[in-house]
Amino acid sequence: MDSNIHSQIEHLINNEYNKHPFTAGIDKANVEGVLAEYLGLCLCAPYIIGGSSNELFLNCVFSGRPIDRKIEITTAVAAFLSFDETGNYNKVIAGGHEALLSLLDTSDFHSNMLRRDLKLLFGKDISPTHNSYLKYYFVQLSKGLSNIDDVQRCAALVALEVHSEIMILSLWDSVMQVFPEIERNKLEYFYLHVGGDNPAEKYHVAMTEQMINEVVGQDNLVTFFTHFKFYYEMNTKLCRDILDNNAFKT
């Protein structure tokens, strides 16, 4: 993204969210509970992100707002993120048109990759947990991603992207401390998201840059960062809630 915007986001996170909640507080006693709740969170991605455009469309129809370019831009980004979470983006990139024949194979949904990682860690299938605060988070996230206000909607989307990378890396590091006997790169969900060299990363950054420039613009950056902080805090609070709920198990 624009170097100035990028540096402002990094500065904000480093100053106000120096350590992600998942960097500490995870041990042998509570790791299964934490990861069961994290799986519950992971499951939502293709549905909440992809479905947010449905509510946005209805908001526009009932308010009489035209579907303009700014709405199309955030819809395109959300559709890509949802498609990626199903594992089908990588299939199409690797296999071209022929990969369309394998789209019904859902084993590469990112949540299913995480299920396999958890089975490797615990030697058994782990069921997802959806506590009340996680359900509330789903509702709030959906409202943000479908908000008719362009700046707020863009901020919710960027905060989700930025936080996800930090969250996954922090959780991966903590899990490895609990399971040092497991080879780090054997955990396919974590490796896919934040491991190794990602040749698509520079394009992902450029896409986010263009979205902020076109949807927000320089004149609305102050408002953008106000909303960004709100949604970033919402994401980190969920992680603190997950840890707090499992604290008694330590």
Side-chain angles (χ1 to χ4, degrees), residues 126-166:
I126 301 297
S127 297
T129 302
H130 292 111
N131 287 314
S132 58
Y133 50 79
L134 185 54
K135 295 174 185 176
Y136 177 75
Y137 169 83
F138 291 157
V139 173
Q140 294 305 106
L141 177 61
S142 180
K143 286 182 178 179
L145 296 178
S146 64
N147 199 294
I148 199 168
D149 179 81
D150 297 321
V151 177
Q152 186 168 347
R153 185 175 68 256
C154 183
L157 194 52
V158 174
L160 180 67
E161 291 183 83
V162 172
H163 174 263
S164 292
E165 181 178 5
I166 296 172

Side-chain angles (χ1 to χ4, degrees), residues 16-83:
E16 300 191 27
Y17 304 96
N18 190 282
K19 286 188 176 181
H20 190 273
F22 283 161
T23 59
I26 299 176
D27 58 24
K28 277 285 188 183
N30 70 355
V31 65
E32 182 176 330
V34 168
L35 288 174
E37 293 197 42
Y38 183 77
L39 176 58
L41 170 62
C42 181
L43 281 169
C44 87
Y47 308 102
I48 298 294
I49 300 173
S52 63
S53 299
N54 169 62
E55 194 63 31
L56 174 59
F57 174 78
L58 292 176
N59 287 342
C60 290
V61 169
F62 280 94
S63 68
R65 176 183 171 175
I67 305 296
D68 59 19
R69 177 166 168 76
K70 292 181 178 181
I71 288 175
E72 290 174 345
I73 287 172
T74 56
T75 299
V77 173
F80 162 73
L81 294 176
S82 178
F83 189 60

Side-chain angles (χ1 to χ4, degrees), residues 27 65-66 99 105 115 122 158 161 180 204 221 231 245:
D27 58 24
R65 176 183 171 175
D105 175 8
R115 289 178 192 271
F122 299 105
V158 174
E161 291 183 83
H204 187 267
L221 281 181
Y231 286 108
N245 186 53

